[in-house]
Amino acid sequence: LSREDLNGDMVVGIATTPSQLLLFLSKNGILSYTASTKTVSKLNNNVDEMLKNITINRVMSMSDSTFVIGTLENGLYAFRLDGTLLWHLNKSNGLHNNTILGLFCDRDQNVWAALDNGVSYIQPNSPFWFYEPTSIQIGLVEDMLIDNGNLYLATNQGVYKYSQNRIFPLPGFEIQSWFIRKFDNQIFVGHNKGTSILENDRNIPIVESFSG
């Protein structure tokens, strides 16, 4: 391969598959190299598009079809050969730092990532995960509700909604909230001022209710 084949970039990682080599470039995503024909082509998939403006620093194979990419500025990406993104971790959803300096996969298929600041341990197959938002302080969680794929949290600072990898406060609920439950397709929130119905992410007070 010549420098022109690599778009003038550097190869920072190589992964093998049954039919090809995947060349991970520092700045230009992923190339597919077929040894039988000695041809290089762009691996056009969703993950390659995500990595367009990101610097790849480390690459690790977890299997013939699963790869983990460590970047310098946006944490870890794990994807399948067909381009399916399995997970993306950065400082906003669990990593201590966004710069990946080393990767290791142990015998239980857990990932160890050496960072600019410490080490992170990832269990990709665990059904549980920890979420600590860095951009917002939600306070003490008193109750929670999962409804239509959304997570609602009643906390001592109000009611928050987690949806599409983002958590945000719901307007009108800036008060200590104790419970959130769903009855007959209506969501009720109990708080220090009484009881409200949560509808379309809005606070609709129940006039006759009182705090207790």
Side-chain angles (χ1 to χ4, degrees):
L1 293 178
S2 66
R3 195 66 140 171
E4 288 72 23
D5 294 325
L6 303 177
N7 298 320
D9 206 347
M10 295 185 299
V11 176
V12 296
I14 298 177
T16 60
T17 73
S19 60
Q20 61 188 333
L21 289 178
L22 296 183
L23 307 178
F24 297 82
L25 307 182
S26 175
K27 290 285 190 179
N28 292 289
I30 309 167
L31 297 178
S32 172
Y33 174 70
T34 304
S36 59
T37 59
K38 296 183 179 180
T39 57
V40 178
S41 59
K42 193 71 173 174
L43 189 65
N44 292 315
N45 56 46
N46 295 332
V47 175
D48 193 45
E49 186 67 23
M50 291 181 192
L51 299 173
K52 181 178 293 184
N53 299 312
I54 294 174
T55 306
I56 300 175
N57 194 44
R58 292 290 184 270
V59 179
M60 178 184 69
S61 298
M62 295 187 68
S63 68
D64 287 343
S65 60
T66 304
F67 309 95
V68 179
I69 293 174
T71 72
L72 287 182
E73 61 277 278
N74 205 9
L76 290 167
Y77 294 80
F79 70 96
R80 292 196 181 98
L81 183 59
D82 63 5
T84 303
L85 179 67
L86 298 175
W87 43 267
H88 174 212
L89 293 177
N90 56 23
K91 192 172 181 180
S92 68
N93 62 0
L95 284 185
H96 297 301
N97 187 272
N98 279 335
T99 300
I100 310 300
L101 302 178
L103 287 173
F104 175 75
C105 181
D106 63 27
R107 63 185 178 183
D108 295 319
Q109 295 294 292
N110 299 314
V111 177
W112 298 77
L115 314 174
D116 224 7
N117 179 21
V119 176
S120 283
Y121 173 61
I122 301 104
Q123 295 178 295
N125 299 316
S126 173
F128 306 104
W129 62 292
F130 294 93
Y131 179 70
E132 296 184 42
T134 57
S135 60
I136 189 172
Q137 298 298 316
I138 64 174
L140 177 66
V141 176
E142 302 287 356
D143 200 3
M144 63 181 288
L145 170 71
I146 297 176
D147 182 60
N148 293 324
N150 299 311
L151 172 66
Y152 296 93
L153 300 173
T155 82
N156 67 341
Q157 296 185 22
V159 177
Y160 294 81
K161 179 180 180 180
Y162 178 79
S163 177
Q164 297 180 348
N165 296 323
R166 190 171 69 91
I167 191 167
F168 51 91
L170 296 183
F173 284 105
E174 299 87 356
I175 187 171
Q176 183 154 3
S177 300
W178 297 99
F179 78 85
I180 181 167
R181 309 284 172 83
K182 187 172 185 178
F183 301 100
D184 294 331
N185 293 318
Q186 288 183 304
I187 298 177
F188 292 85
V189 178
H191 48 74
N192 273 6
K193 290 185 177 179
T195 306
S196 295
I197 293 176
L198 174 59
E199 185 176 294
N200 296 322
D201 292 346
R202 293 172 51 246
N203 182 349
I204 302 178
I206 298 177
V207 178
E208 300 295 329
S209 71
F210 52 88
S211 61

